[in-house]
Amino acid sequence: MLLLLLLLLRLSWSLKCRTYMMKFKPNQTRTYDGEGFKRRAACLCFKNEREDEVLLVSSSRHPDQWIVPGGGMEPEEEPCGAAVREVYEEAGVRGKLGRLLGVFEHNQDRKHRTYVYTLLVTETLEDWEDSVNIGRKRKWFKIDEAIKVLQSHKPVHAEYLHKLLNTCSPTYSPLCNPTNGNSTGSQVTDINAPHYVVCSTQGSDLVSR
């Protein structure tokens, strides 16, 4: 294991000039972009096309708190596919992926860059990966209620919803077809263009999941 870790560290050093780097953690490999930001993806999951109710899940670290489902991208994974996979694992839902709402940055301590999409829920599983493994819960909230719930302990997640309120009318198209939680293809182009970065937060903690 130690030899493998040293090998991976050397590989990460040699890949500095590439668009992302990889780091190894127990049971998971996460990716980092060329600026050292951890690459993440998340979805605002809605009950209907009016986007007036959003699905939040309980935090694995703080079960009495609610968060937006999302997590780190895997190697070679597109943001689109990562977002669909994360909501499948954490919230147990499938649906139609909508627009890229924006890319949100967290710059203190551990740096994160999160691609946030909208998703119209079409299927809700009774039991899903995180509900079985860690007892994660989910709950529908009205948008204003969700903002209040998130503002105290996850202000960057509340920013997703503030951004939602300032965007154009919702549109949903099969950017990803989440048949099993994985992406079958992405139509989002120029995904790493800097103009997608819409929010930079300084005081929130994305890693307390």
Short mmCIF file of all heavy atoms in Angstrom, two decimals, residues 44-53 95-99 117-122 164 169-175:
data_model
loop_
_atom_site.label_atom_id
_atom_site.label_comp_id
_atom_site.label_asym_id
_atom_site.label_seq_id
_atom_site.Cartn_x
_atom_site.Cartn_y
_atom_site.Cartn_z
N LEU A 44 -29.14 20.49 -7.99
CA LEU A 44 -30.37 20.92 -7.33
C LEU A 44 -31.48 20.08 -7.93
O LEU A 44 -31.82 20.22 -9.11
CB LEU A 44 -30.62 22.40 -7.57
CG LEU A 44 -29.62 23.38 -6.94
CD1 LEU A 44 -29.97 24.81 -7.32
CD2 LEU A 44 -29.58 23.22 -5.44
N CYS A 45 -32.04 19.17 -7.15
CA CYS A 45 -33.05 18.22 -7.63
C CYS A 45 -34.44 18.76 -7.33
O CYS A 45 -34.77 19.04 -6.17
CB CYS A 45 -32.86 16.86 -6.95
SG CYS A 45 -31.23 16.14 -7.19
N PHE A 46 -35.25 18.89 -8.38
CA PHE A 46 -36.56 19.51 -8.24
C PHE A 46 -37.68 18.50 -8.48
O PHE A 46 -37.55 17.56 -9.27
CB PHE A 46 -36.70 20.67 -9.22
CG PHE A 46 -35.73 21.78 -8.96
CD1 PHE A 46 -34.65 21.97 -9.80
CD2 PHE A 46 -35.88 22.61 -7.86
CE1 PHE A 46 -33.74 22.98 -9.56
CE2 PHE A 46 -34.98 23.62 -7.61
CZ PHE A 46 -33.90 23.81 -8.46
N LYS A 47 -38.81 18.75 -7.78
CA LYS A 47 -39.97 17.87 -7.88
C LYS A 47 -40.73 18.09 -9.18
O LYS A 47 -41.34 17.16 -9.73
CB LYS A 47 -40.90 18.08 -6.69
CG LYS A 47 -42.11 17.17 -6.66
CD LYS A 47 -42.97 17.40 -5.42
CE LYS A 47 -42.32 16.84 -4.18
NZ LYS A 47 -43.24 16.88 -3.00
N ASN A 48 -40.70 19.31 -9.71
CA ASN A 48 -41.43 19.62 -10.94
C ASN A 48 -40.71 20.73 -11.69
O ASN A 48 -39.71 21.28 -11.20
CB ASN A 48 -42.88 20.03 -10.62
CG ASN A 48 -42.93 21.17 -9.61
OD1 ASN A 48 -42.36 22.24 -9.83
ND2 ASN A 48 -43.61 20.94 -8.48
N GLU A 49 -41.20 21.05 -12.88
CA GLU A 49 -40.53 22.03 -13.74
C GLU A 49 -40.68 23.46 -13.23
O GLU A 49 -40.00 24.36 -13.73
CB GLU A 49 -41.05 21.91 -15.17
CG GLU A 49 -40.64 20.62 -15.85
CD GLU A 49 -40.95 20.59 -17.32
OE1 GLU A 49 -41.56 21.58 -17.82
OE2 GLU A 49 -40.60 19.62 -17.99
N ARG A 50 -41.55 23.69 -12.26
CA ARG A 50 -41.66 25.02 -11.67
C ARG A 50 -40.46 25.33 -10.78
O ARG A 50 -40.23 26.48 -10.43
CB ARG A 50 -42.96 25.14 -10.85
CG ARG A 50 -44.23 25.05 -11.68
CD ARG A 50 -45.45 25.43 -10.85
NE ARG A 50 -45.59 24.59 -9.66
CZ ARG A 50 -46.21 23.42 -9.65
NH1 ARG A 50 -46.73 22.93 -10.77
NH2 ARG A 50 -46.31 22.72 -8.52
N GLU A 51 -39.73 24.29 -10.41
CA GLU A 51 -38.53 24.44 -9.56
C GLU A 51 -38.86 25.15 -8.26
O GLU A 51 -38.11 26.00 -7.79
CB GLU A 51 -37.41 25.15 -10.31
CG GLU A 51 -36.92 24.38 -11.53
CD GLU A 51 -35.72 25.03 -12.21
OE1 GLU A 51 -35.44 26.21 -11.92
OE2 GLU A 51 -35.07 24.36 -13.03
N ASP A 52 -40.00 24.80 -7.65
CA ASP A 52 -40.38 25.44 -6.40
C ASP A 52 -40.17 24.55 -5.18
O ASP A 52 -40.36 25.00 -4.04
CB ASP A 52 -41.84 25.91 -6.46
CG ASP A 52 -42.81 24.77 -6.83
OD1 ASP A 52 -42.36 23.62 -7.00
OD2 ASP A 52 -44.02 25.05 -6.95
N GLU A 53 -39.76 23.29 -5.41
CA GLU A 53 -39.41 22.40 -4.31
C GLU A 53 -38.11 21.69 -4.65
O GLU A 53 -37.96 21.13 -5.74
CB GLU A 53 -40.51 21.36 -4.05
CG GLU A 53 -41.76 21.94 -3.42
CD GLU A 53 -42.75 20.85 -3.02
OE1 GLU A 53 -42.49 20.14 -2.03
OE2 GLU A 53 -43.77 20.71 -3.73
N GLY A 95 -33.38 11.28 -12.97
CA GLY A 95 -34.21 12.28 -13.62
C GLY A 95 -33.58 12.87 -14.86
O GLY A 95 -32.61 12.34 -15.40
N LYS A 96 -34.15 13.99 -15.31
CA LYS A 96 -33.66 14.69 -16.49
C LYS A 96 -32.73 15.81 -16.05
O LYS A 96 -33.13 16.71 -15.30
CB LYS A 96 -34.83 15.27 -17.29
CG LYS A 96 -35.78 14.23 -17.85
CD LYS A 96 -36.93 14.91 -18.59
CE LYS A 96 -37.91 13.90 -19.15
NZ LYS A 96 -39.05 14.57 -19.83
N LEU A 97 -31.50 15.76 -16.53
CA LEU A 97 -30.54 16.79 -16.18
C LEU A 97 -30.83 18.05 -16.98
O LEU A 97 -31.03 18.00 -18.20
CB LEU A 97 -29.12 16.31 -16.45
CG LEU A 97 -28.02 17.14 -15.78
CD1 LEU A 97 -28.02 16.94 -14.28
CD2 LEU A 97 -26.67 16.79 -16.36
N GLY A 98 -30.83 19.19 -16.31
CA GLY A 98 -31.10 20.46 -16.96
C GLY A 98 -29.84 21.27 -17.19
O GLY A 98 -28.79 20.72 -17.54
N ARG A 99 -29.92 22.54 -16.93
CA ARG A 99 -28.84 23.47 -17.26
C ARG A 99 -27.72 23.45 -16.22
O ARG A 99 -27.94 23.07 -15.06
CB ARG A 99 -29.39 24.88 -17.40
CG ARG A 99 -29.95 25.46 -16.10
CD ARG A 99 -30.84 26.65 -16.39
NE ARG A 99 -31.38 27.24 -15.17
CZ ARG A 99 -32.42 26.74 -14.51
NH1 ARG A 99 -33.01 25.61 -14.92
NH2 ARG A 99 -32.88 27.34 -13.42
N TYR A 117 -25.68 21.66 -11.35
CA TYR A 117 -26.70 21.49 -12.38
C TYR A 117 -28.08 21.48 -11.74
O TYR A 117 -28.23 21.30 -10.54
CB TYR A 117 -26.51 20.17 -13.13
CG TYR A 117 -25.26 20.09 -13.95
CD1 TYR A 117 -24.05 19.67 -13.37
CD2 TYR A 117 -25.25 20.40 -15.30
CE1 TYR A 117 -22.89 19.57 -14.13
CE2 TYR A 117 -24.10 20.31 -16.07
CZ TYR A 117 -22.92 19.90 -15.47
OH TYR A 117 -21.77 19.81 -16.22
N THR A 118 -29.10 21.64 -12.58
CA THR A 118 -30.47 21.39 -12.15
C THR A 118 -30.88 20.01 -12.65
O THR A 118 -30.38 19.54 -13.69
CB THR A 118 -31.44 22.45 -12.70
OG1 THR A 118 -31.43 22.39 -14.14
CG2 THR A 118 -31.04 23.83 -12.24
N LEU A 119 -31.77 19.35 -11.91
CA LEU A 119 -32.23 18.02 -12.30
C LEU A 119 -33.70 17.89 -11.94
O LEU A 119 -34.10 18.18 -10.80
CB LEU A 119 -31.41 16.94 -11.60
CG LEU A 119 -31.76 15.50 -12.00
CD1 LEU A 119 -30.50 14.67 -12.27
CD2 LEU A 119 -32.60 14.80 -10.92
N LEU A 120 -34.50 17.48 -12.91
CA LEU A 120 -35.93 17.24 -12.70
C LEU A 120 -36.11 15.76 -12.34
O LEU A 120 -35.84 14.88 -13.15
CB LEU A 120 -36.73 17.57 -13.96
CG LEU A 120 -38.23 17.32 -13.90
CD1 LEU A 120 -38.89 18.21 -12.84
CD2 LEU A 120 -38.86 17.58 -15.27
N VAL A 121 -36.55 15.48 -11.12
CA VAL A 121 -36.65 14.11 -10.62
C VAL A 121 -37.83 13.40 -11.30
O VAL A 121 -38.95 13.90 -11.33
CB VAL A 121 -36.84 14.09 -9.10
CG1 VAL A 121 -37.10 12.67 -8.60
CG2 VAL A 121 -35.60 14.67 -8.42
N THR A 122 -37.55 12.22 -11.86
CA THR A 122 -38.59 11.40 -12.48
C THR A 122 -38.75 10.05 -11.79
O THR A 122 -39.73 9.35 -12.02
CB THR A 122 -38.27 11.15 -13.97
OG1 THR A 122 -37.00 10.51 -14.09
CG2 THR A 122 -38.25 12.47 -14.74
N LEU A 164 -30.12 30.34 -8.50
CA LEU A 164 -31.29 29.81 -9.20
C LEU A 164 -32.36 30.87 -9.37
O LEU A 164 -32.96 30.99 -10.45
CB LEU A 164 -31.85 28.62 -8.41
CG LEU A 164 -33.19 28.06 -8.92
CD1 LEU A 164 -32.95 27.14 -10.11
CD2 LEU A 164 -33.92 27.33 -7.81
N SER A 169 -35.74 31.05 -17.33
CA SER A 169 -36.74 29.99 -17.18
C SER A 169 -36.10 28.62 -17.30
O SER A 169 -35.18 28.42 -18.09
CB SER A 169 -37.83 30.13 -18.25
OG SER A 169 -38.45 31.40 -18.14
N PRO A 170 -36.58 27.64 -16.51
CA PRO A 170 -35.98 26.31 -16.53
C PRO A 170 -36.19 25.60 -17.86
O PRO A 170 -37.23 25.71 -18.48
CB PRO A 170 -36.71 25.58 -15.39
CG PRO A 170 -38.00 26.31 -15.23
CD PRO A 170 -37.70 27.75 -15.56
N THR A 171 -35.16 24.88 -18.28
CA THR A 171 -35.27 24.01 -19.45
C THR A 171 -34.63 22.68 -19.10
O THR A 171 -33.60 22.64 -18.43
CB THR A 171 -34.55 24.60 -20.67
OG1 THR A 171 -33.18 24.86 -20.32
CG2 THR A 171 -35.20 25.89 -21.11
N TYR A 172 -35.22 21.61 -19.56
CA TYR A 172 -34.69 20.28 -19.28
C TYR A 172 -34.54 19.51 -20.58
O TYR A 172 -35.43 19.48 -21.41
CB TYR A 172 -35.61 19.51 -18.31
CG TYR A 172 -35.57 20.08 -16.94
CD1 TYR A 172 -36.46 21.06 -16.55
CD2 TYR A 172 -34.58 19.69 -16.04
CE1 TYR A 172 -36.39 21.63 -15.28
CE2 TYR A 172 -34.50 20.24 -14.77
CZ TYR A 172 -35.41 21.20 -14.40
OH TYR A 172 -35.33 21.76 -13.16
N SER A 173 -33.37 18.92 -20.76
CA SER A 173 -33.08 18.13 -21.94
C SER A 173 -32.16 17.00 -21.53
O SER A 173 -31.51 17.08 -20.50
CB SER A 173 -32.41 18.99 -23.02
OG SER A 173 -31.22 19.56 -22.52
N PRO A 174 -32.08 15.93 -22.33
CA PRO A 174 -31.27 14.77 -21.94
C PRO A 174 -29.77 15.00 -22.12
O PRO A 174 -29.13 14.39 -22.96
CB PRO A 174 -31.79 13.67 -22.88
CG PRO A 174 -32.27 14.40 -24.08
CD PRO A 174 -32.83 15.70 -23.57
N LEU A 175 -29.19 15.90 -21.31
CA LEU A 175 -27.74 16.09 -21.35
C LEU A 175 -27.05 14.82 -20.87
O LEU A 175 -26.00 14.44 -21.36
CB LEU A 175 -27.34 17.27 -20.46
CG LEU A 175 -27.91 18.63 -20.83
CD1 LEU A 175 -27.38 19.68 -19.87
CD2 LEU A 175 -27.54 19.00 -22.25
#
